[in-house]
Coordinates of all heavy atoms in Angstrom, one line a residue:
K179 N -17.7 22.9 -40.9 CA -17.1 21.6 -41.0 C -18.0 20.6 -40.2 O -18.3 20.9 -39.0 CB -15.7 21.7 -40.4 CG -14.9 20.4 -40.6 CD -13.3 20.8 -40.3 CE -12.5 19.5 -40.3 NZ -12.5 18.9 -39.0
F180 N -18.2 19.4 -40.8 CA -19.0 18.4 -40.2 C -18.0 17.4 -39.6 O -17.3 16.7 -40.5 CB -20.1 17.7 -41.2 CG -20.9 18.7 -41.6 CD1 -21.2 18.8 -43.1 CD2 -21.8 19.5 -40.8 CE1 -22.2 19.6 -43.5 CE2 -22.7 20.3 -41.3 CZ -22.9 20.4 -42.7
D181 N -17.8 17.3 -38.4 CA -16.9 16.4 -37.8 C -17.3 14.9 -38.1 O -16.5 14.0 -38.2 CB -16.8 16.6 -36.2 CG -16.2 17.9 -35.9 OD1 -15.3 18.4 -36.8 OD2 -16.5 18.6 -34.9
D182 N -18.7 14.8 -38.1 CA -19.2 13.5 -38.3 C -19.9 13.3 -39.8 O -20.7 14.1 -40.1 CB -20.3 13.2 -37.1 CG -21.0 11.9 -37.2 OD1 -20.7 11.1 -38.1 OD2 -21.8 11.6 -36.3
Q183 N -19.3 12.4 -40.4 CA -19.8 12.3 -41.8 C -21.3 12.0 -41.9 O -21.9 12.4 -42.9 CB -19.1 11.1 -42.5 CG -19.7 10.7 -43.8 CD -18.7 9.9 -44.7 OE1 -17.8 10.5 -45.2 NE2 -19.1 8.8 -45.1
S184 N -21.9 11.3 -40.9 CA -23.4 11.0 -41.0 C -24.2 12.4 -40.9 O -25.2 12.4 -41.4 CB -23.8 10.1 -39.9 OG -23.7 10.7 -38.7
V185 N -23.6 13.4 -40.2 CA -24.3 14.6 -40.2 C -24.5 15.2 -41.7 O -25.5 15.7 -42.0 CB -23.6 15.6 -39.3 CG1 -24.2 17.0 -39.4 CG2 -23.7 15.2 -37.8
G186 N -23.4 15.3 -42.4 CA -23.3 15.7 -43.6 C -24.3 15.0 -44.5 O -25.1 15.5 -45.4
M187 N -24.4 13.6 -44.4 CA -25.2 12.8 -45.2 C -26.7 13.0 -44.9 O -27.5 13.1 -45.7 CB -24.9 11.4 -45.0 CG -23.6 11.1 -45.8 SD -23.2 9.5 -46.3 CE -23.1 8.7 -44.7
N188 N -27.0 13.2 -43.6 CA -28.3 13.4 -43.2 C -28.9 14.7 -43.8 O -30.0 14.8 -44.1 CB -28.5 13.5 -41.6 CG -28.5 12.0 -41.0 OD1 -28.8 11.1 -41.7 ND2 -28.1 12.0 -39.7
L189 N -28.0 15.7 -43.8 CA -28.5 17.0 -44.4 C -28.5 16.9 -45.9 O -29.4 17.6 -46.4 CB -27.3 18.1 -44.0 CG -27.3 18.6 -42.5 CD1 -25.9 19.3 -42.2 CD2 -28.5 19.1 -42.1
A190 N -27.8 16.0 -46.5 CA -28.0 15.9 -48.0 C -29.2 15.1 -48.2 O -30.0 15.5 -49.1 CB -26.8 15.1 -48.5
Y191 N -29.6 14.0 -47.4 CA -30.7 13.2 -47.7 C -32.0 14.2 -47.7 O -32.9 14.1 -48.5 CB -31.0 12.2 -46.6 CG -30.0 11.3 -46.5 CD1 -29.8 10.6 -45.2 CD2 -29.3 10.8 -47.5 CE1 -28.9 9.6 -44.9 CE2 -28.3 9.8 -47.3 CZ -28.1 9.2 -46.0 OH -27.2 8.2 -45.8
T192 N -32.1 15.1 -46.6 CA -33.2 16.0 -46.5 C -33.2 17.3 -47.4 O -34.0 18.0 -47.4 CB -33.3 16.5 -45.0 OG1 -32.1 17.1 -44.7 CG2 -33.5 15.4 -44.1
G193 N -32.0 17.4 -48.1 CA -32.0 18.5 -49.1 C -31.5 19.9 -48.5 O -31.4 20.8 -49.1
A194 N -30.9 19.7 -47.2 CA -30.5 20.9 -46.5 C -29.2 21.4 -47.2 O -28.8 22.5 -47.2 CB -30.3 20.7 -45.1
V195 N -28.4 20.4 -47.7 CA -27.1 20.8 -48.3 C -27.2 20.0 -49.8 O -28.0 19.1 -49.9 CB -25.9 20.3 -47.7 CG1 -25.6 21.1 -46.4 CG2 -25.7 18.9 -47.5
K196 N -26.6 20.5 -50.7 CA -26.7 20.1 -51.9 C -26.2 18.7 -52.1 O -25.2 18.1 -51.5 CB -25.8 20.9 -53.0 CG -26.3 22.4 -53.0 CD -27.1 22.7 -54.2 CE -27.6 24.1 -54.2 NZ -28.5 24.4 -53.3
D197 N -26.8 18.0 -53.1 CA -26.4 16.5 -53.4 C -25.0 16.4 -53.7 O -24.3 15.3 -53.5 CB -27.1 15.9 -54.6 CG -28.5 15.8 -54.3 OD1 -29.0 15.6 -53.2 OD2 -29.4 15.7 -55.3
D198 N -24.4 17.4 -54.3 CA -23.0 17.3 -54.8 C -22.0 17.1 -53.8 O -20.7 17.1 -54.1 CB -22.6 18.3 -55.8 CG -22.8 19.7 -55.3 OD1 -22.8 19.9 -54.1 OD2 -23.0 20.7 -56.2
I199 N -22.2 17.1 -52.5 CA -21.3 16.8 -51.5 C -20.8 15.4 -51.6 O -19.7 15.0 -51.2 CB -21.8 17.0 -50.0 CG1 -22.9 16.1 -49.7 CG2 -22.0 18.5 -49.8 CD1 -23.1 15.9 -48.2
L200 N -21.5 14.5 -52.2 CA -21.3 13.1 -52.4 C -22.0 12.7 -53.8 O -23.0 13.3 -54.1 CB -21.9 12.3 -51.3 CG -21.0 11.9 -50.1 CD1 -22.0 10.9 -49.2 CD2 -19.7 11.2 -50.4
D201 N -21.5 11.6 -54.4 CA -22.3 11.3 -55.6 C -23.6 10.8 -55.3 O -23.7 10.1 -54.2 CB -21.4 10.6 -56.5 CG -21.3 9.1 -56.1 OD1 -20.5 8.8 -55.2 OD2 -22.1 8.2 -56.6
V202 N -24.6 11.0 -56.1 CA -26.0 10.6 -55.7 C -26.1 9.1 -55.4 O -26.8 8.8 -54.5 CB -26.9 11.1 -56.9 CG1 -28.3 10.4 -56.8 CG2 -27.0 12.6 -57.0
E203 N -25.4 8.3 -56.2 CA -25.5 7.0 -56.0 C -25.0 6.5 -54.6 O -25.7 5.7 -53.9 CB -24.7 6.2 -57.0 CG -25.1 4.8 -57.3 CD -24.4 4.0 -58.4 OE1 -23.6 4.8 -59.2 OE2 -24.7 2.9 -58.6
T204 N -23.9 7.1 -54.2 CA -23.3 6.8 -52.8 C -24.5 7.2 -51.8 O -24.6 6.4 -50.8 CB -22.1 7.4 -52.6 OG1 -21.1 7.1 -53.6 CG2 -21.4 7.0 -51.4

Side-chain angles (χ1 to χ4, degrees):
K179 190 166 167 274
F180 302 124
D181 294 329
D182 181 350
Q183 165 158 299
S184 70
V185 170
M187 286 202 297
N188 283 337
L189 292 170
Y191 300 150
T192 56
V195 298
K196 300 260 177 290
D197 287 341
D198 53 20
I199 63 159
L200 268 183
D201 74 279
V202 170
E203 199 173 0
T204 309

